[in-house]
Each structure stands twice: as structure tokens, then as C-alpha cells.
Amino acid sequence: MRTLNSILQLESQFSGIRMPQSTKTAIMVIGGAEDKVHGREILQTFFYRSGGSEARLAIIPSASREPTLVGDRYQGIFGEMGAKEIRVLDIRDRAQGSDSQFQDYIEECTGVFLTGGDQLRLCGLLSDTPLMERVRQRVHLGEITLAGTSAGAAVMGHHMIAGGGSGESPNKSLVDMAIGLGIIPEVIVDQHFLNRNRTARLMSAIAGHPDRLGIGIDEDTCAMFERDGWMQVLGKGTVTIIDPGEMFQTNHQDVDPTNPISLHNMRVHILCHGDRYHLHKRSMRFIDS
């Protein structure tokens, strides 16, 4: 049994986790519909992780059908927080991914924010462009913080969920796959997760790619990946981990697209605010460990 002192110590540590103020860079994968009005915890964390008052931010609204409106909204939010400089990189043509002015700013910025919209549109405009390659390099060097919400979250893996259905048993027809931006190639991300009943969709995706890890992120929730391999949950909802590492049998290769998929010994973890999970060790870190 824990003593009162140990409980108080745990509560103190947990409080520290709940309000991260670190300025270390990170990759922030947001499930969509993040709070933009009240506490703005997730957006505030992106602001701090990008340098706080010294932040130079690039907002890329290319996934949206209304990029000007969306870009302006985030520019206003981060402007109110006190960012040093904010530019909207309104990329509507692949050729702009080679634009020298955009590339120069990517060299100077400390944070890049990918907005929501259509992940296929976003990848179609950005994948394999000089601008996106440089963003990826700077992220992996720990030089900048990268955040993506909704469609901007879906593109983080090498394999990407491009669309599909919900509310059914896992089956091949439930999910449409495409190639993402490969920022965190080990994962397949699904967003608006429990809000839109997408558990079976992510399981279907992982059944076809059992060498990946499924990450399902609820609305107003963020899976924040550190360079040391740890992922921390922020926000009001949960992050669901679909881990096929010990799965020993599935009929995925043998059934028709609309028939149910069987998945034996697939592990599922539900994480909430403050929980941490190691991407490579595939293990939790508890507060008292």
C-alpha cells in the first residue's frame, strides 16, 4: 500500500505532466477539433515547444478547401499568444513546394503547423517536394516542432488512412490506404477516433500492415512524440494504441473485402492525459516507475 507521502508525490509528478512547459521540440499529432477558444492547451503546447515568444511559425493550410480562412484563423491564435513571426504558406500547387521564399522561411522557422482538411490533397501538394523534405529533415534533427491536426495528423505515417467507413466489424473494405508523408513511418494514424467510431477502421488498416503501430486519436487530444521515443498524451480525450506485435493469426489474406477479419492476440491500450508510451519498446511508463 502506498503511504500518504508517496501518493502526494505521485500527484505532484502527475500535475507536472498535465501542464508541460518544456521548450524541447516534438512532433504533435492532433486528433482534430482542438480547443481554439478557451484553455487552448494543445495549441499553447505547440507555441511553447516552438520557442514561445521567440517562435517563428509556418502555417500550412494546404489540406483545406478554404486555406485563406483556416490559415488566418491559426495566424490570429498564435499571434495572440505572442509568437515573434507567423507566416501562412498558402501552397496550392506542387510547384510552390520549390518556391525559394517558402524554403527560406522553412530554414528560419521554429515550428510548422499542418491544418485539417483532406489528407490526400495535402500529400498530393507536399509529398516529395523540396520544402517537405527539408521540414522532415529539420524535424528529425530536433530543430523544429511539427504539429498536424486532423488531416495534418493522418499524413504522419508512411502508410496513411485516406478514407473509409465506421461502425462495422474490421474488414478490408472499411479502409482506403495511401502513402503519407512519412514523418513517423512506424505508425498509422486515425483521427476524430472514438468521436467517429473508427476503432474497426484502424484495426483493419493494421491487419493489412502488421509491422506498423496503430495510433487512434480523439478530438481535442494530442499524441506528442519526443525524440527519445516517448509519446505523451495531451488534451481531453484518449489515444488508442493498436499493437499487432504479438498477434499470431489473422485471416486477412484469405477473406473477401467485405467479410470480417479475425485478429488473434492483438493488443489494445487506451491512454489518457499524462500517460506515456514508448514507440519502440511498446511499453507504458508509469508515474511511480
Side-chain angles (χ1 to χ4, degrees), residues 122-133:
L122 183 60
C123 285
L125 289 170
L126 291 183
S127 62
D128 300 322
T129 62
L131 183 144
M132 196 63 232
E133 289 303 309

Side-chain angles (χ1 to χ4, degrees), residues 34-46:
E34 72 282 356
D35 177 15
K36 302 177 183 66
V37 179
H38 302 293
R40 296 175 171 175
E41 178 192 7
I42 292 170
L43 297 180
Q44 286 276 5
T45 301
F46 170 72

Side-chain angles (χ1 to χ4, degrees), residues 62-63 94 118-129 151 154-157 160 178-182:
S62 303
R94 278 188 60 83
D118 182 341
Q119 52 263 45
L120 284 174
R121 173 179 168 80
L122 183 60
C123 285
L125 289 170
L126 291 183
S127 62
D128 300 322
T129 62
V155 300
M156 291 293 181
M160 174 181 78
I179 301 299
L181 296 180

Side-chain angles (χ1 to χ4, degrees), residues 63-85:
S64 175
R65 295 182 181 274
E66 299 180 322
T68 301
L69 181 65
V70 171
D72 287 350
R73 184 172 191 190
Y74 282 103
Q75 187 173 36
I77 289 170
F78 295 125
E80 290 175 8
M81 292 180 186
K84 185 172 185 178
E85 185 175 6

